[in-house]
Amino acid sequence: MTKRIRKQIAGGEEKGYLSIILHAHLPFVRHPEHEDFLEEYWFYEAITETYIPLLLQLEDLIEEGVHLRLTFSLTPTLVSMLLDRFLQSRYLRRLERLIGLAEKEIRRTKSQPEFQALAIMYHNHFLRVRDAFIKRYDRDLVQAFRRLQDLGYIEIIASAATHGYLPLLSINPSAVRTQIRVGVGHYRQIFGQNPKGFWLPECGYYPGLDEFLREQGVRYTILETHGITRAVPRPRYGVYSPIYCPSGLAVFGRDPESSKQVWSSSEGYPGDYDYREFYRDIAYDLDMEYIKPYIHRDGIQIDTGIKYYRITGKGNHKEVYVPEWAEKKAGIHAGNFLFNRERQIEYLSSVMDRKPIVVAPYDAELFGHWWFEGPIWLNFLIRKIAFNQKTIRLATPSEYLEEYPVNQVATPSMSSWGHKGFNEVWLNGSNDWIYRHLHRAADLMERLSAGRSRARGLTKRALNQAARELLLAQASDWAFIINSKTMVEYAVKRTKNHLLRFHELYRQIEERKIDGAWLSSLEYQDNIFPEISAKVFN
Amino acid sequence: MARSSVRTAASNGDQTSPGIEMEIRTIKGELQAKTRQDLIKRALELKIPGCHQKKKQELIEEIAITSIYQLLPRSPQIIRNLTRRDLLRLCEMGGIKVKRRSLKSDLVRAVKKTLVKKQAAKRPESPRPEAWLSAPELPTMPEHFPDSYDVTRVVLLPVDLYRIHVYWDIAKRDLERVRNQIGKEVERAQATLRFYDTTHIFFDGTNAHSSFDVDINLQAGNWYVHLWSPGRSYCMDLGFRTGDGRFFPIVRSNMAEMPPAHPSEKGKERYMLVSEDFKRLEIMPQLSAKECQKDLTCHPNPETISGVSESQNPEEILNQPVKQVQGKVRNDRYESFPMDMDKVLQEKLAELYRFRLVESPRPPSESGQVVHSASEEADLTEMNERGLTAGISSKVMILRKEKDLGLRAD
């Protein structure tokens, strides 16, 4: 943190703090063996619609000297994909196609000025994204985020290796420890420093988990509201101040008010009628022959990102999108959000003997992807906070801990930010079959790595690959997707393949008959964490 | 890994359509990142002759072109991205006689005609080439998971406040053993999950608060059990219960702690100072935070409590030998009801330090401002509980999508 920023925080006039935390995650999806793989599109969309737009907005603010403090969680799987050259070139290929499509659209909508204006807008947007990706960021978005952290504007926190849902992996402490250890190790390698905070996948917490985080030197994490409110003993300040687990790990709780305003489909901003309608992409609206080359090769419709309609109302009737109106609304909503936070913090500071902190974590994807105007809203909000008031200041959780190193001790309760607040999303009739296999594989991995610490050559490579396969199988994304009934087949396949590969590697290692060629092909395909050592499971 | 990716009705499910994209540039790019040793290893696996003598660039060229050669039958469209030199090399590998000065289009035609067809013809007999760039399935790899690993275990996993998930696996020999133990009653024995309420105790098999049975079908392999109170801890035995009430346990589960449904009672508040390097110093109420910050020579043991009375300063206290407070419950008094750690500690401390403990302490205040106690006027925890909106993010997006796609009513 630079001195310049530090001076502004301590002893300021503010009555309280707002900590916005953006959690950016994608499961590791990389399929060089397929020319055009459906699930890789999640990655391309996220870059075009969320990560680059966010970076551009933040850099705009920085250039103008606006005070800015945000927290980002960038998971290891996402970081690995962003740094992968193969995926980077695939992304560019996709972007080129979109630019071509936008050009076609400009021509097609010649006689419809409202639509053509939008087509031009998208064309410019794609061009700007391409320009930023190639020239400004040199294809390395991780470096872009790192730079913002090094300059003191954002704080990046670590997360679990493959986003494993830790409460359900807790049967094997080695599995939990490894998810955290590899995640923190990866962070150190990429960002060159120790992470102060850690994002628990899905905010999944169970009592005792804090010990593992402490072990790795993590100072704080964030839980869902009831993880704090139901802590034992009862927290004095609710979620407006962190608590310490007996182990010394600080835990911050999500503020329900600020979440509801943004996320709620009934009360929240993204549902406003002037905002862009997510579900009217031209991939679905236009003639198949015309659109086919721009969506998946087999004609499976995936979003292009070009959407011409606004939400308009609750029914199916949609009117054309008007960017000026949407931007105006974003400004109004930013003002409204700020107003609510000001009232909230004024009230809280009157009943607390310290400055309250309002913790507002969101999925990064919300901004730009689900809610097209999200990044603009964020920009307006940050500006208004900086210039229009003096009650609130943006801060990161670690800054709060520096100012308030004394906090109440309590043991948080088991919780998650998944639907209904516990483990149901990842453990129900659709996906419960996974866990016996994950637990069994973790047992076997412990067995494999014990007593083989001096392994060399092919055996060492096989052990390391077994570790990778296990970590990839543990990703909470698969259980989540199966539960959501969207790309179920893919998620089931991923789980099974990684586990089957793991078992095969186990067998080969135990029988000392390792198939080098097959191992090499696995190393190429499932190439996450190249530096991993199976010893980490001990 | 199987070749088919996700398919919907829109796909025509063409089995022969190649699904592999291998741009030779990308392959070469990947290979550049490898060391020469790695490349030699791969070249050996691909049976490329003379690899030890080759330079790194030559190895890259050879490996790339060999992979392309092997992938041709499945993705003939790779050809269009190849250079003339690559095409010549391919012809050489495939034994096609071409003039070195042929036009590129002629080379392409020759390759297509001979190699693609030739390779395609070979396909039924030989297994797919083990090109290391793709991940072929081993012929012996099973398609499905085993239903049982033939290892006996039973696992408890909390689902939410009132439900717990149980899965089990029983090795054949263990099942046999128990059945023999039961003897002639075995046909009428009921498989059951015997739950023990082990909240706040060290369970030794006999001292549970209460227990209850959940009868199950052993073949099911897993079960969801509904509980009637949240916030309890459980341990469980999987076993058989005979008609006369005898219980034959097979295996014991892990301990599962269920989450509470409500905030806990307003209790004694404890405060702690944690420094950057994780040194922890617990604060007793009279001490202000500023005093503690001055000298962080605190005892590393987390159980150590330190405090101060009016006459002593923190440093002196910390340097005194401190008796550790043991957490084990061996005392008769605590045997059958939950132990109250706070009470135990209070008593120990009173002995050690002889200072007064205030019943409802004010939290240490740095600025020294006078503030009305939060607990009297505003219960922030209660306020947050009322506004609870867990899972709002994931729920919202999925429900909206399903509603719009007509998959569910509102």
Side-chain angles (χ1 to χ4, degrees):
Chain A
M1 203 162 79
T2 64
K3 281 212 176 106
R4 174 166 58 93
I5 308 288
R6 189 184 271 274
K7 229 188 352 188
Q8 292 172 330
I9 298 284
E13 312 163 88
E14 69 279 342
K15 295 215 179 102
Y17 300 108
L18 173 62
S19 177
I20 296 179
I21 303 176
L22 296 181
H23 169 58
H25 165 67
L26 282 173
F28 190 70
V29 175
R30 182 182 178 276
H31 294 282
E33 74 282 11
H34 286 269
E35 179 159 339
D36 197 1
F37 201 82
L38 185 64
E39 284 76 8
E40 276 176 3
Y41 280 80
W42 301 329
F43 179 64
Y44 311 146
E45 275 177 354
I47 298 181
T48 312
E49 296 172 7
T50 298
Y51 307 138
I52 293 186
L54 276 176
L55 280 168
L56 291 175
Q57 294 288 355
L58 293 182
E59 286 170 6
D60 265 347
L61 291 164
I62 290 168
E63 236 166 278
E64 295 180 40
V66 181
H67 171 73
L68 163 65
R69 287 299 275 163
L70 297 181
T71 310
F72 274 85
S73 135
L74 300 175
T75 62
T77 44
L78 172 62
V79 169
S80 302
M81 285 165 53
L82 287 172
L83 292 173
D84 186 278
R85 302 182 86 71
F86 175 77
L87 288 175
Q88 286 168 0
S89 40
R90 275 226 172 140
Y91 170 66
L92 271 176
R93 194 180 66 172
R94 169 65 174 168
L95 199 51
E96 295 292 345
R97 285 220 188 108
L98 285 180
I99 291 171
L101 176 60
E103 279 161 10
K104 268 178 86 168
E105 279 294 289
I106 293 175
R107 289 194 293 276
R108 184 185 70 83
T109 53
K110 224 172 20 198
S111 56
Q112 301 165 289
E114 298 164 311
F115 289 96
Q116 195 185 47
L118 291 175
I120 293 172
M121 176 188 89
Y122 284 113
H123 187 247
N124 287 339
H125 174 65
F126 294 143
L127 285 178
R128 196 168 174 221
V129 167
R130 183 182 63 180
D131 193 62
F133 187 70
I134 300 178
K135 296 205 199 108
R136 194 174 176 131
Y137 303 126
D138 198 23
R139 304 188 185 202
D140 186 351
L141 295 185
V142 178
Q143 166 60 18
F145 283 106
R146 187 172 42 216
R147 189 179 137 257
L148 292 183
Q149 173 165 254
D150 292 342
L151 292 174
Y153 295 106
I154 67 174
E155 183 177 318
I156 303 175
I157 57 180
S159 188
T162 52
H163 209 261
Y165 187 69
L166 302 177
L168 296 178
L169 297 177
S170 59
I171 304 298
N172 296 87
S174 67
V176 173
R177 181 175 290 119
T178 307
Q179 279 278 342
I180 296 174
R181 208 157 146 182
V182 171
V184 170
H186 188 257
Y187 180 98
R188 282 198 197 111
Q189 191 197 340
I190 301 289
F191 296 103
Q193 54 182 276
N194 287 324
K196 297 205 188 93
F198 191 94
W199 179 270
L200 288 169
E202 312 291 354
C203 298
Y205 174 83
Y206 63 95
L209 181 51
D210 51 295
E211 297 280 349
F212 294 102
L213 290 175
R214 247 274 285 125
E215 253 176 49
Q216 299 302 322
V218 170
R219 296 219 62 202
Y220 72 86
T221 189
I222 300 110
L223 299 190
E224 179 58 285
T225 315
H226 55 290
I228 305 293
T229 57
R230 297 178 196 174
V232 178
R234 191 182 181 111
R236 166 175 282 264
Y237 301 119
V239 296
Y240 301 113
S241 192
I243 54 177
Y244 282 129
C245 300
S247 61
L249 181 81
V251 177
F252 289 82
R254 182 195 211 188
D255 166 48
E257 295 307 314
S258 42
S259 302
K260 235 191 296 197
Q261 278 207 290
V262 174
W263 274 115
S264 167
S265 57
S266 47
E267 304 162 41
Y269 305 130
D272 187 280
Y273 295 161
D274 284 335
Y275 287 145
R276 196 186 70 165
E277 171 58 59
F278 180 82
Y279 293 104
R280 290 297 292 270
D281 193 286
I282 60 172
Y284 299 91
D285 284 350
L286 297 184
D287 180 49
M288 191 43 136
E289 276 316 302
Y290 175 87
I291 203 70
K292 192 166 172 186
Y294 302 99
I295 53 184
H296 189 261
R297 333 183 33 250
D298 297 300
I300 299 170
Q301 282 150 331
I302 3 167
D303 286 15
T304 59
I306 299 178
K307 305 173 204 234
Y308 291 131
Y309 296 94
R310 63 179 198 266
I311 295 174
T312 317
K314 282 212 177 357
N316 275 330
H317 171 71
K318 305 287 169 198
E319 299 272 332
V320 76
Y321 179 63
V322 184
E324 294 79 30
W325 297 358
E327 191 172 308
K328 199 151 164 236
K329 273 291 168 68
I332 293 172
H333 288 152
N336 177 266
F337 185 83
L338 179 57
F339 175 80
N340 285 317
R341 301 286 76 68
E342 281 182 88
R343 301 288 84 73
Q344 183 181 28
I345 286 180
E346 270 168 14
Y347 168 69
L348 291 171
S349 68
S350 72
V351 295
M352 283 169 69
D353 57 354
R354 50 163 67 187
K355 294 179 202 159
I357 180 168
V358 172
V359 177
Y362 304 104
D363 277 324
E365 278 191 312
L366 170 66
F367 297 92
H369 176 63
W370 294 108
W371 180 19
F372 185 61
E373 298 78 5
I376 309 172
W377 173 87
L378 194 59
N379 183 316
F380 285 149
L381 176 67
I382 295 172
R383 268 175 214 282
K384 287 178 195 283
I385 290 177
F387 299 119
N388 294 9
Q389 54 85 49
K390 287 203 176 2
T391 312
I392 309 176
R393 194 171 188 82
L394 288 175
T396 64
S398 41
E399 285 174 343
Y400 191 83
L401 284 176
E402 273 176 40
E403 190 172 339
Y404 294 104
V406 176
N407 290 294
Q408 189 180 354
V409 181
T411 303
S413 93
M414 174 187 279
S415 53
S416 80
W417 81 346
H419 179 46
K420 292 202 191 146
F422 298 102
N423 302 335
E424 188 186 330
V425 170
W426 301 274
L427 182 61
N428 57 64
S430 69
N431 51 26
D432 51 23
W433 56 272
I434 295 178
Y435 297 98
R436 67 175 68 218
H437 301 291
L438 289 182
H439 298 156
R440 173 72 178 153
D443 286 339
L444 295 181
M445 188 71 223
E446 284 169 27
R447 219 186 276 178
L448 273 185
S449 61
R452 280 194 177 88
S453 50
R454 299 248 185 102
R456 291 246 179 299
L458 217 52
T459 311
K460 184 173 175 195
R461 278 170 56 199
L463 279 171
N464 292 345
Q465 191 61 27
R468 285 184 200 106
E469 298 297 334
L470 177 57
L471 286 173
L472 287 168
Q474 289 172 340
S476 68
D477 310 274
W478 315 137
F480 184 88
I481 291 170
I482 294 169
N483 173 69
S484 72
K485 301 192 182 58
T486 50
M487 303 292 182
V488 175
E489 200 185 311
Y490 178 72
V492 169
K493 189 157 293 177
R494 285 295 298 262
T495 308
K496 284 197 169 158
N497 277 335
H498 291 303
L499 283 168
L500 288 171
R501 286 172 195 179
F502 172 83
H503 282 286
E504 181 58 26
L505 282 165
Y506 176 82
R507 192 185 64 80
Q508 289 185 5
I509 294 171
E510 288 276 299
E511 295 179 9
R512 296 171 204 259
K513 275 192 270 174
I514 299 171
D515 182 332
W518 182 67
L519 176 58
S520 298
S521 68
L522 285 190
E523 285 171 334
Y524 178 76
Q525 177 127 55
D526 296 334
N527 66 345
I528 200 172
F529 307 132
E531 318 281 329
I532 199 178
S533 159
K535 282 189 252 177
V536 84
F537 276 89
N538 285 347
Chain B
M1 174 156 159
R3 297 262 161 238
S4 58
S5 65
V6 175
R7 292 285 178 261
T8 66
S11 161
N12 59 12
D14 182 6
Q15 296 303 322
T16 58
S17 72
I20 310 151
E21 182 255 357
M22 280 301 167
E23 287 204 36
I24 193 161
R25 259 172 305 150
T26 319
I27 299 174
K28 289 190 184 169
E30 291 282 333
L31 293 172
Q32 282 291 359
K34 311 248 174 259
T35 62
R36 189 166 169 273
Q37 284 309 312
D38 283 332
L39 292 171
I40 290 179
K41 258 188 236 156
R42 305 251 156 91
L44 285 170
E45 285 156 11
L46 289 173
K47 301 195 176 38
I48 294 172
C51 34
H52 291 283
Q53 282 74 38
K54 293 201 195 314
K55 296 209 184 86
K56 183 172 174 180
Q57 272 311 118
E58 291 169 336
L59 283 168
I60 290 177
E61 297 284 329
E62 280 297 321
I63 295 173
I65 203 71
T66 309
S67 316
I68 298 283
Y69 178 78
Q70 290 178 342
L71 289 163
L72 264 180
R74 264 169 292 143
S75 19
Q77 77 274 20
I78 309 173
I79 305 177
R80 61 182 138 90
N81 289 329
L82 298 176
T83 63
R84 219 177 136 269
R85 219 182 72 184
D86 295 328
L87 290 164
L88 278 171
R89 189 78 187 82
L90 275 181
C91 292
E92 213 177 313
M93 290 172 76
I96 310 171
K97 285 197 168 48
V98 281
K99 296 212 183 102
R100 287 206 81 78
R101 289 213 221 119
S102 309
L103 288 174
K104 185 171 175 186
S105 47
D106 292 332
L107 291 174
V108 169
R109 220 174 306 131
V111 167
K112 271 201 183 145
K113 195 165 114 190
T114 328
L115 284 182
V116 177
K117 278 222 184 96
K118 204 193 211 180
Q119 296 272 56
K122 266 209 258 160
R123 226 190 314 168
E125 299 112 39
S126 52
R128 280 188 295 195
E130 311 247 289
W132 59 270
L133 285 165
S134 61
E137 290 153 23
L138 282 182
T140 51
M141 204 144 90
E143 277 290 306
H144 305 289
F145 288 127
D147 285 330
S148 165
Y149 288 107
D150 208 37
V151 167
T152 304
R153 81 187 301 188
V154 66
V155 171
L156 289 179
L157 293 174
V159 178
D160 57 26
L161 294 170
Y162 295 99
R163 272 184 307 163
I164 195 163
H165 175 80
V166 190
Y167 77 76
W168 59 85
D169 197 3
I170 307 181
K172 290 195 193 66
R173 61 181 175 279
D174 288 326
L175 192 56
E176 276 307 304
R177 177 180 53 82
V178 168
R179 291 171 86 91
N180 289 338
Q181 264 185 330
I182 298 176
K184 35 188 187 16
E185 294 282 321
V186 74
E187 291 314 314
R188 275 173 297 152
Q190 169 67 51
T192 193
L193 307 174
R194 179 158 289 185
F195 279 82
Y196 305 104
D197 185 327
T198 55
T199 313
H200 294 147
I201 60 173
F202 289 92
F203 183 52
D204 62 7
T206 64
N207 59 344
H209 298 297
S210 60
S211 80
F212 60 92
D213 283 357
V214 176
D215 290 345
I216 49 132
N217 170 11
L218 205 61
Q219 310 303 329
N222 70 87
W223 213 262
Y224 284 90
V225 175
H226 286 262
L227 308 162
W228 49 85
S229 26
R232 316 289 296 169
S233 303
Y234 296 97
C235 191
M236 193 210 84
D237 281 340
L238 165 65
F240 284 100
R241 192 186 61 240
T242 54
D244 54 0
R246 283 178 302 154
F247 181 65
F248 292 83
I250 304 174
V251 65
R252 178 162 289 171
S253 77
N254 55 306
M255 196 79 70
E257 203 181 307
M258 302 301 286
H262 304 289
S264 58
E265 291 305 314
K266 284 185 203 186
K268 195 159 176 43
E269 290 171 9
R270 286 164 58 199
Y271 288 82
M272 194 155 73
L273 168 75
V274 177
S275 67
E276 275 225 29
D277 53 357
F278 271 105
K279 291 220 178 96
R280 304 193 292 288
L281 175 63
E282 180 135 347
I283 316 270
M284 295 312 285
Q286 291 94 330
L287 190 64
S288 85
K290 277 217 169 66
E291 302 261 357
C292 294
Q293 250 167 322
K294 270 194 209 145
D295 206 337
L296 286 179
T297 51
C298 42
H299 199 289
N301 187 309
E303 292 305 320
T304 304
I305 307 294
S306 68
V308 80
S309 63
E310 292 99 47
S311 48
Q312 289 177 292
N313 70 42
E315 210 175 324
E316 279 181 43
I317 290 287
L318 288 169
N319 289 333
Q320 281 176 16
V322 175
K323 250 198 234 163
Q324 284 203 12
V325 178
Q326 297 297 323
K328 288 218 177 75
V329 177
R330 265 166 297 152
N331 197 317
D332 286 330
R333 278 195 294 154
Y334 299 111
E335 204 178 58
S336 49
F337 41 83
M339 68 181 172
D340 184 349
M341 274 306 292
D342 273 326
K343 199 149 175 267
V344 172
L345 284 173
Q346 266 193 35
E347 287 169 3
K348 294 276 177 207
L349 288 169
E351 286 170 60
L352 288 171
Y353 295 109
R354 282 173 280 120
F355 63 86
R356 289 159 294 139
L357 291 171
V358 177
E359 275 312 307
S360 34
R362 280 264 185 87
S365 161
E366 278 200 45
S367 52
Q369 62 189 121
V370 175
V371 142
H372 30 258
S373 162
S375 54
E376 283 145 16
E377 299 223 358
D379 189 335
L380 295 175
T381 292
E382 191 56 44
M383 186 177 95
N384 287 145
E385 270 284 317
R386 273 183 272 123
L388 215 51
T389 49
I392 194 171
S393 54
S394 41
K395 175 185 178 183
V396 159
M397 287 309 150
I398 290 164
L399 284 187
R400 258 198 89 190
K401 185 161 197 156
E402 294 191 343
K403 203 166 42 134
D404 286 338
L405 296 175
L407 291 177
R408 75 160 69 207
D410 203 353

